Amino acid sequence: MNLVIILPTYNERENIEILLDALHKKAKNIAHYTCYFLVVDDFSPDGTGKIIRAYQKTHKDTYLLEKKKEGLGKAILRGMEYAVDTLHADFILQMDCDLSHDPDRISAFIQELDSGADFVVGSRYIKGGSIPSNWGIHRKIFSVVGNAIVRFGLGYSHVHDWTGGFRAYAVKYYFKLKDQMEAYGGYVFQIAFLHKAIQMGAQVVEVPIHFTDRKFGHSKIAPAEYIKNVLLYVGMNGSFGKFLMVGGFGFVINAGLLVVFREWIGLPPTIANLIGAAAAIFSNFNLNNIWTFKDKKINSFGMYVAKLAQFYGTSLSGVVLIQTGTIALGMKLFGDSQYFIYFLVGTGLLLIWNYTVYSKVIWKKK
């Protein structure tokens, strides 16, 4: 079988030859695979391509693809295409070229592929894995929280590391997803490809890796753009992200009616909140049914009525016990002048309750 190792590069002249030597040494111990090494370079101005061309003279199993810089995702996709069409890959392994990924861990990836895994992810966040101890606290938080948002936002918490670039997979997922993946050019490609493979039934296994900080060169990630794209992807593709957007619309309805019935009509805040919540719940049910949980959409009229009643029951119990209870407790302890602050706190607690009940009970898997 053919294993193609894709190495996307941009300005990695100090690292690429060291990595290739280590990979060739490791490949000698992989008896049942023919290994090819495919460097996908975006015309690095530091001369990375020139180094690879010189390296190819003594290493006929090393290949170079060069094209203008279009982002990591486009580079990986080009590499996949070449790996399949030209090198006839059965499996693809990809890794970073900055020496942050240890070639010695490739054996663990291959072992899982041989055991039947479709997709093997190198994970920094499971037992035995780690991130660099010399990272600043802000970078550690950025990494850990970012992965947590993706894990729970997309609803696949069993996978712990979504953003890493050390992974291996069967080429069938390239064939299934290549057209969809054209839309993702940057680092969010890693998240999207794994997410869509899971949706298609991929059996994912994680192996622990120690992530080492680069010694040469500079990171290519633009944090602000990366965060924006990750949040956008999760918001548009994950049930929790959609749930939050639906909830945001419901929040506007709830908050608006709360203010109207409290300030204009003079009802007590607790009663005004119940009226606003009832209207918001009806809106939320219908939007969640046709969008958030559309893969488990309730279609029959009888089931719709039954689930709507169940939705009202669970939602109102949360509103009464959690949201309105928080308002009442706040008023008792601190007075009613800050009732809207109590409302916000109660709403945050209510979100956790609602998503759990909606996904596990109302729209449970069939």
Side-chain angles (χ1 to χ4, degrees):
M1 289 188 291
N2 293 338
L3 174 69
V4 177
I5 300 176
I6 295 178
L7 306 168
T9 61
Y10 188 74
N11 287 344
E12 297 290 357
R13 61 173 298 160
E14 297 97 337
N15 300 314
I16 188 60
E17 193 167 359
I18 298 172
L19 177 61
L20 283 170
D21 284 344
L23 288 172
H24 278 87
K25 181 179 179 180
K26 185 64 183 178
K28 294 177 181 178
N29 300 320
I30 305 175
H32 55 297
Y33 285 90
T34 300
C35 295
Y36 299 96
F37 307 91
L38 176 59
V39 180
V40 185
D41 186 63
D42 290 343
F43 285 124
S44 297
D46 72 343
T48 298
K50 182 178 179 180
I51 292 174
I52 299 304
R53 283 188 289 273
Y55 194 87
Q56 287 179 294
K57 294 177 181 179
T58 54
H59 297 82
K60 301 303 181 184
D61 54 3
T62 301
Y63 296 80
L64 173 65
L65 279 181
E66 290 182 295
K67 199 172 182 180
K68 68 177 182 178
K69 185 174 174 60
E70 295 180 298
L72 177 66
K74 296 293 186 183
I76 293 174
L77 198 58
R78 290 200 307 272
M80 290 178 178
E81 181 180 15
Y82 191 89
V84 170
D85 294 346
T86 303
L87 302 178
H88 309 294
D90 296 293
F91 294 97
I92 291 172
L93 186 144
Q94 66 178 73
M95 58 192 301
D96 294 348
C97 291
D98 57 5
L99 306 181
S100 59
H101 296 151
D102 184 0
D104 284 340
R105 293 300 293 154
I106 290 177
S107 298
F109 286 76
I110 291 177
Q111 182 178 349
E112 295 297 345
L113 291 174
D114 289 343
S115 297
D118 297 314
F119 210 119
V120 185
V121 175
S123 180
R124 299 161 288 180
Y125 304 112
I126 61 174
K127 185 177 180 180
S130 68
I131 56 178
S133 59
N134 64 331
W135 274 6
I137 187 64
H138 66 287
R139 191 171 180 186
K140 291 179 179 178
I141 292 173
F142 174 77
S143 180
V144 173
V145 172
N147 268 284
I149 289 172
V150 178
R151 283 180 66 197
F152 296 102
L154 294 179
Y156 297 101
S157 59
H158 64 288
V159 178
H160 298 78
D161 198 331
W162 286 81
T163 59
F166 202 178
R167 46 179 60 179
Y169 38 85
V171 296
K172 63 183 177 181
Y173 292 102
Y174 163 73
F175 290 113
K176 291 179 178 180
L177 296 171
K178 60 181 179 179
D179 293 335
Q180 296 181 51
M181 297 312 299
E182 289 285 352
Y184 306 100
Y187 285 86
V188 77
F189 179 96
Q190 309 278 42
I191 298 169
F193 188 65
L194 176 55
H195 178 223
K196 294 179 185 301
I198 292 174
Q199 288 181 315
M200 289 189 167
Q203 180 185 348
V204 178
V205 175
E206 290 183 283
V207 296
I209 62 168
H210 295 286
F211 186 87
T212 304
D213 210 1
R214 65 162 59 238
K215 295 181 180 178
F216 307 105
H218 303 281
S219 174
K220 316 303 187 303
I221 295 179
E225 181 180 0
Y226 175 72
I227 292 171
K228 179 197 74 175
N229 290 336
V230 168
L231 292 176
L232 183 62
Y233 182 84
V234 172
M236 296 304 296
N237 294 277
S239 61
F240 187 70
K242 293 177 181 178
F243 163 78
L244 289 178
M245 295 176 73
V246 169
F249 184 68
F251 173 83
V252 172
I253 295 174
N254 193 345
L257 291 178
L258 167 64
V259 172
V260 167
F261 282 97
R262 167 59 178 169
E263 303 295 339
W264 294 3
I265 300 178
L267 293 179
T270 50
I271 302 301
N273 181 62
L274 288 173
I275 295 172
I281 288 170
F282 183 76
S283 170
N284 288 354
F285 177 80
N286 287 285
L287 290 176
N288 279 319
N289 191 46
I290 64 176
W291 189 45
T292 308
F293 303 106
K294 65 180 181 180
D295 57 326
K296 298 176 280 188
K297 184 179 178 182
I298 302 163
N299 291 308
S300 69
F301 179 75
M303 184 62 70
Y304 174 89
V305 173
K307 287 293 184 179
L308 178 60
Q310 190 180 32
F311 188 85
Y312 261 103
T314 56
S315 299
L316 283 173
S317 65
V319 168
V320 172
L321 296 175
I322 299 173
Q323 188 184 54
T324 306
T326 301
I327 294 174
L329 180 62
M331 291 170 57
K332 182 176 181 179
L333 295 176
F334 308 108
D336 65 0
S337 62
Q338 300 297 320
Y339 72 90
F340 201 79
I341 300 298
Y342 316 146
F343 165 73
L344 293 177
V345 173
T347 299
L349 297 173
L350 186 62
L351 279 174
I352 300 172
W353 161 263
N354 281 347
Y355 183 73
T356 302
V357 174
Y358 296 170
S359 60
K360 303 296 184 182
V361 179
I362 307 296
W363 287 279
K364 64 181 178 180
K365 292 183 179 180
K366 298 178 182 179

